[in-house]
Amino acid sequence: MTHQPAIPTLSSADPEIAGLIEAEAARQHDKIRLIASENYVSQAVLEATGTVLTNKYSEGYAGKRYYEGQQLIDPVELLAIERAKAVFGVEHANVQPYSGSPANLAAYLAFAQPGDTVLGMALPDGGHLTHGWSVSATGKWFNAVRYGVRKETGRVDLDQVRDLAREHRPKLIFAGGTAIPRTIDFPAFAEIAREVDAVLVADIAHIAGLVAGGAHPSPVGHAPVITTTTHKTLRGPRGAMILSDAEHAKAVDKAVFPGLQGGPHNHTTAAIAVALGEAAKPGFRDYAHAIVANARALAEALIERGYDLVSGGTDNHLLLVDLTSKQIGGKPAAKALDAAGIELNYNTVPFDPRKPFDPSGIRLGTAAITTRGLKPEHQPLIAEWIDRTITAAVAEDTAALQKISAEVRELLSAFPIPGYRA
Ligand SMILES: *Cc1c(COP(=O)(O)O)cnc(C)c1O
């Protein structure tokens, strides 16, 4: 039972860290990983991240660097850029942002001044911290106005978006979020942004893999600027990209470097290129659609067991479950599920009467379990385990959790993961 690629040198040089990495690989193998922002990257992506490219400084862009020795780094970054442009059908790609949060910060730097008004989705309704939430630098340094979802439908309230945009005339409008189980209507956002002359930023961090695989409508042609992480449904290394039309390209590049960052993480850039190469293959379309099929099947199975899904279901990889009717908070439910071998996160639900650190809901996603080959036919069993766990948690029956985790491990033993040889 070892990490793949194997880490024999690390194991003798630093057994303490190596031991933790080996144990984490086993943990990732033994759990049903339903954290909506996580995945299993391929061994090729893992290998690319662990290379000598980490040794190189490359401030600047291909052909215009501030350090010598870029003969091989330039082609790596250019390949990543070309692949990003081809996979998403965009005119420009910047592959240097360190992660999703800095990518969004670069969008602010490129298209707004401190104190300007920006419009983003409220965090408790499914938005991201960097869309102007109060505790984020973006909420402190900008005048952030927030939209949410409709109480009756759990879906983004586009009338509210339009009203707020007309009233506040934001410089930037963010579309997208971290807990949105439904299709994002990019054309509707684009119309609103056009009317008030705002730059529409589509943050597709969660759904990038679905967009790449044709399982969610693309924002291209509607949003001139698109930010995304590379490590969620897109199944690449931890990193991010900013995609844009030609008109906004220069401002994006200037904002990332020298505006916000120093040297790009070249080992990550290489791994992004590898992941984009995988996303360009026909099998990735099947993967993206299989993620959605699994999410739908899991949603149906949970609804059948009396669970209350925000918006009543899902169009993508993500489910948000309101546990109020089950007499348990999201946090104790998530902790019990983890003990039962089912890993997810507690989450606020829209109009949550409870506190963010102890909210009413749990968030589930199917990107990782789809990578390891679980199918719609497995979803009723996962829903049954979730239901048994929550019943056991309410009854404080810890023995039941142990039993479920053994059943989980038994099923998963037939579904290998990249990164670990059982
Ligand atoms: C995950 C996420 C981010 C931030 O990504 P990090 O890599 O964690 O900084 C930004 N926006 C959205 C919508 C996200 O889901």
Side-chain angles (χ1 to χ4, degrees):
M1 300 198 295
T2 53
H3 188 276
Q4 300 293 318
I7 52 170
T9 313
L10 179 60
S11 297
S12 54
D14 193 334
E16 217 174 347
I17 285 292
L20 291 169
I21 292 171
E22 291 286 5
E24 172 63 10
R27 193 195 66 80
Q28 292 188 11
H29 178 271
D30 288 346
K31 288 240 175 101
I32 294 183
R33 295 176 58 234
L34 293 174
I35 292 181
S37 49
E38 295 183 354
N39 212 326
Y40 296 97
V41 300
S42 70
Q43 190 160 332
V45 168
L46 285 175
E47 286 180 7
T49 59
T51 60
V52 295
L53 300 194
T54 199
N55 295 339
K56 189 76 197 103
Y57 243 102
S58 311
E59 285 183 355
Y61 292 101
K64 304 178 288 277
R65 306 278 191 188
Y66 291 80
Y67 296 78
E68 295 314 310
Q70 312 296 343
Q71 293 84 351
L72 305 159
I73 298 300
D74 278 4
V76 166
E77 187 169 325
L78 289 172
L79 266 174
I81 289 168
E82 286 314 311
R83 289 177 186 180
K85 285 162 66 177
V87 164
F88 290 95
V90 287
E91 291 170 332
H92 180 73
N94 186 306
V95 297
Q96 294 192 1
Y98 298 142
S99 212
S101 303
N104 282 343
L105 219 45
Y108 285 88
L109 185 60
F111 305 111
Q113 297 291 324
D116 278 353
T117 298
V118 298
L119 178 59
M121 194 170 187
L123 185 73
D125 286 46
H128 191 259
L129 283 162
T130 56
H131 297 181
W133 195 240
S134 49
V135 297
S136 156
T138 60
K140 292 180 192 291
W141 296 343
F142 296 88
N143 173 39
V145 182
R146 296 150 196 135
Y147 60 87
V149 299
R150 282 183 188 278
K151 199 160 191 174
E152 322 82 68
T153 62
R155 295 178 187 238
V156 172
D157 187 345
L158 283 161
D159 293 330
Q160 187 193 22
V161 176
R162 190 180 306 102
D163 291 346
L164 289 171
R166 283 177 178 163
E167 184 186 343
H168 297 280
R169 311 288 301 188
K171 280 268 166 51
L172 285 178
I173 299 178
F174 280 91
T178 59
I180 303 175
R182 294 297 184 173
T183 301
I184 299 166
D185 189 346
F186 295 120
F189 272 101
E191 199 185 308
I192 295 165
R194 239 189 333 269
E195 185 188 324
V196 301
D197 201 21
V199 175
L200 176 62
V201 180
D203 180 350
I204 60 167
H206 262 266
I207 55 170
L210 305 184
V211 170
H216 186 291
S218 172
V220 176
H222 306 293
V225 179
I226 300 164
T227 59
T228 184
T229 60
T230 46
H231 48 269
K232 299 179 184 178
T233 55
L234 190 57
R235 210 163 59 181
R238 295 201 92 86
M241 305 188 290
I242 305 179
L243 314 171
S244 77
D245 59 15
E247 185 190 334
H248 295 79
K250 216 168 159 188
V252 164
D253 283 354
K254 264 179 66 187
V256 174
F257 177 86
L260 199 64
Q261 298 188 167
H265 295 178
N266 297 315
H267 55 304
T268 299
T269 307
I272 289 173
V274 173
L276 289 167
E278 293 172 359
K281 296 209 174 93
F284 198 85
R285 287 190 81 79
D286 301 336
Y287 169 61
H289 286 92
I291 293 173
V292 176
N294 275 338
R296 289 224 170 102
L298 184 55
E300 272 169 34
L302 285 168
I303 289 166
E304 238 166 69
R305 290 181 175 273
Y307 284 83
D308 180 11
L309 269 61
V310 171
S311 84
T314 179
D315 297 326
N316 53 31
H317 64 301
L318 187 148
L319 291 69
L320 197 54
V321 180
D322 184 343
L323 291 171
T324 307
S325 67
K326 297 288 177 182
Q327 320 296 332
I328 188 169
K331 194 173 187 176
K335 293 208 173 298
L337 284 159
D338 191 54
I342 299 168
E343 185 187 356
L344 43 69
N345 67 282
Y346 57 86
N347 214 99
T348 54
V349 296
F351 310 98
D352 204 324
R354 299 168 66 117
K355 296 247 149 56
F357 198 59
D358 183 24
S360 301
I362 48 176
R363 188 185 67 158
L364 299 74
T366 52
I369 60 168
T370 305
T371 294
R372 76 185 295 178
L374 292 179
K375 302 239 150 37
E377 72 226 39
H378 300 110
Q379 305 310 318
L381 181 56
I382 295 176
E384 183 196 318
W385 281 329
I386 290 172
D387 192 31
R388 274 170 56 199
T389 302
I390 285 176
T391 307
V394 172
E396 291 177 36
D397 177 359
T398 45
L401 307 185
Q402 297 260 313
K403 185 163 178 299
I404 294 164
S405 78
E407 292 173 34
V408 164
R409 275 201 305 279
E410 166 75 23
L411 173 78
L412 293 181
S413 63
F415 295 90
I417 60 166
Y420 181 73
R421 186 181 298 145

